[in-house]
Amino acid sequence: MSVRFDTAAPGEGIEVKCSLENGKAFLEWYFHYENDDPGQGYFVKLRMLDREGHPVLECFQQTKEEEPLQSVLLHPFLWQGTENPYLYRLEAAIYSQEGRQADRCVRLLSLYILEEIPGKGIMLNGEVFHPRTVRYELPEGIDTAEGQQCLVQDLQLIRELGANGVYLEKTEGRNRAFAQICERLGLLVWSGVNSMQEECGKTLLCEGKTGCLSWPGKNPESLPRFREDLMRRNGTFTSQYYKYRAKWSKTPFVYIVPESIRQQDNGSFSVSVYSNCKKVALYSGGILYEFQSGREEFVFRGITVKGPCLVLTAEAEESAQSLSVHKTFTKSSLFHDI
């Protein structure tokens, strides 16, 4: 009888539960096999390797053993979301007593603890965690090379936005590769509306409970939708994308919102600028118009234009963006649909 890991089980057959204490990771390993009775004369050899390929942990256990295999990892590198999505390499193999390899599993492994603590909120590895989440629906043809490429590009854009998680719209038939890509990018995957809090009132997830996390908020409908709210059908960003980027991203940027341009009664113009910087300078026709301090949205008013075009440039820190609009086009019905 051949013994194989149950790849449909949590952790693709190698499930690990993690607890942290005094700079140590206490790990419990649960092995799932396709056959409920894996038989006699087989054992599992498990290894963990760091990013550089150095072995940091090695374990052995007979397949017939019902108790979990316990191990301790000193000074573990924890998965910390987008800040540092550290992943170990996990190698596990089943051997017969003659040394013949019956099965092998290799995958990346993240170690982290996500908790919801009354009075403190959501904690990731003991630190306060603020979910910045985008609603996402898997693209068509997810199993094709083109679908995979589209998926990776979408998730990279979501990460650049400053999000740290995605709310999966439809979980039926979800692809395992999706969770793996999110893990590599430091994104948590959420789904559902049930509270994540367990009876202990604390632990939400230890590595090994694969799949989606239950969304901690009451109304996922309020989350921005990637394709409808943040991306247009032609693949360009909406102004909402930059609005959320101003709230979430740490990479300095400025964006002049085209549809915010309004001509006032006295003939001057007003415009809004999104930025995650504390100070923004606006230039009109290449000449400094105004310097503002604030957060996220900066509104400039009373901009006078002598020529036929409104020529604006916004600058913050080392980033800048320019926008030119003919004054007659600002009166067109097409302008506010761009």
Side-chain angles (χ1 to χ4, degrees):
M1 178 185 67
S2 178
V3 181
R4 300 181 62 84
F5 292 116
D6 183 359
T7 56
E12 299 179 36
I14 301 96
E15 181 181 8
V16 56
K17 296 183 180 180
C18 172
S19 61
L20 304 174
E21 184 179 344
N22 298 326
K24 306 179 186 71
F26 294 87
L27 307 174
E28 285 192 348
W29 303 92
Y30 298 81
F31 301 104
H32 304 280
Y33 307 104
E34 289 183 348
N35 191 327
D36 293 335
D37 181 12
Q40 303 287 336
Y42 289 90
F43 69 92
V44 175
K45 176 182 178 180
L46 179 146
R47 293 204 314 163
M48 280 179 60
L49 296 88
D50 63 17
R51 279 179 176 173
E52 289 70 39
H54 303 136
V56 297
L57 181 68
E58 198 166 50
C59 307
F60 298 87
Q61 178 172 285
Q62 294 187 80
T63 56
K64 68 177 181 179
E65 182 60 63
E66 296 181 357
E67 294 295 325
L69 177 62
Q70 299 177 345
S71 61
V72 179
L73 186 63
L74 295 180
H75 313 299
F77 293 101
L78 301 178
W79 185 90
Q80 298 177 20
T82 55
E83 296 296 326
N84 183 16
Y86 193 96
L87 297 173
Y88 289 95
R89 176 182 169 90
L90 177 67
E91 299 177 350
I94 302 173
Y95 293 95
S96 67
Q97 59 185 1
E98 295 82 19
R100 179 179 58 84
Q101 182 175 292
D103 196 16
R104 187 168 185 260
C105 175
V106 177
R107 68 178 178 90
L108 297 176
L109 173 69
S110 60
L111 293 180
Y112 66 94
I113 293 184
L114 194 63
E115 304 171 306
E116 184 177 28
I117 301 177
K120 292 186 178 181
I122 300 175
M123 312 285 285
L124 177 63
N125 303 324
E127 300 292 332
V128 176
F129 179 81
H130 299 288
R132 303 187 298 271
T133 309
V134 172
R135 289 167 61 188
Y136 185 78
E137 186 172 344
L138 293 176
E140 297 292 333
I142 187 65
D143 295 323
T144 66
E146 184 178 355
Q148 287 284 307
Q149 184 179 11
C150 177
L151 173 62
V152 172
Q153 290 174 345
D154 286 351
L155 293 176
Q156 287 175 335
L157 290 173
I158 289 173
R159 189 178 189 274
E160 291 172 7
L161 174 67
N164 56 24
V166 291
Y167 178 93
L168 199 58
E169 294 278 22
K170 298 179 181 179
T171 58
E172 297 84 357
R174 49 187 166 79
N175 193 286
R176 175 171 287 168
F178 174 76
Q180 294 173 341
I181 296 171
C182 286
E183 190 175 55
R184 289 200 298 270
L185 293 175
L187 300 171
L188 292 173
V189 182
W190 305 94
S191 180
V193 295
N194 296 323
S195 171
M196 294 185 297
Q197 188 169 340
E198 295 182 353
E199 291 182 1
C200 63
K202 185 176 179 182
T203 301
L204 299 175
L205 178 98
C206 295
E207 208 292 329
K209 296 182 181 178
T210 57
C212 299
L213 306 174
S214 296
W215 175 243
K218 295 182 179 180
N219 184 20
E221 297 296 322
S222 64
L223 300 175
R225 298 168 296 178
F226 180 70
R227 288 196 171 84
E228 288 82 356
D229 299 326
L230 306 179
M231 293 285 290
R232 299 185 181 92
R233 291 184 178 180
N234 61 8
T236 60
F237 298 128
T238 67
S239 293
Q240 282 287 94
Y241 178 92
Y242 295 100
K243 183 176 182 179
Y244 277 96
R245 187 175 171 185
K247 292 181 180 180
W248 293 346
S249 176
K250 294 182 180 180
T251 304
F253 86 100
V254 288
Y255 177 73
I256 304 171
V257 185
E259 61 268 31
S260 72
I261 295 175
R262 294 289 187 274
Q263 187 169 16
Q264 300 172 316
D265 293 338
N266 62 2
S268 64
F269 290 83
S270 64
V271 67
S272 292
V273 176
Y274 292 144
S275 178
N276 56 358
C277 301
K278 295 181 180 179
K279 295 181 179 180
V280 172
L282 183 73
Y283 295 80
S284 177
I287 300 173
L288 178 62
Y289 172 74
E290 188 178 351
F291 212 110
Q292 283 192 15
S293 298
R295 292 183 57 189
E296 300 175 11
E297 184 175 2
F298 301 78
V299 181
F300 297 87
R301 297 181 175 87
I303 305 168
T304 57
V305 182
K306 295 181 179 180
C309 295
L310 185 63
V311 181
L312 303 174
T313 301
E315 183 181 31
E317 296 185 13
E318 297 181 356
S319 58
Q321 189 234 350
S322 296
L323 172 68
S324 298
V325 181
H326 201 287
K327 287 190 293 185
T328 58
F329 186 60
T330 63
K331 302 176 182 179
S332 169
S333 61
L334 296 173
F335 177 67
H336 298 290
D337 293 330
I338 57 176

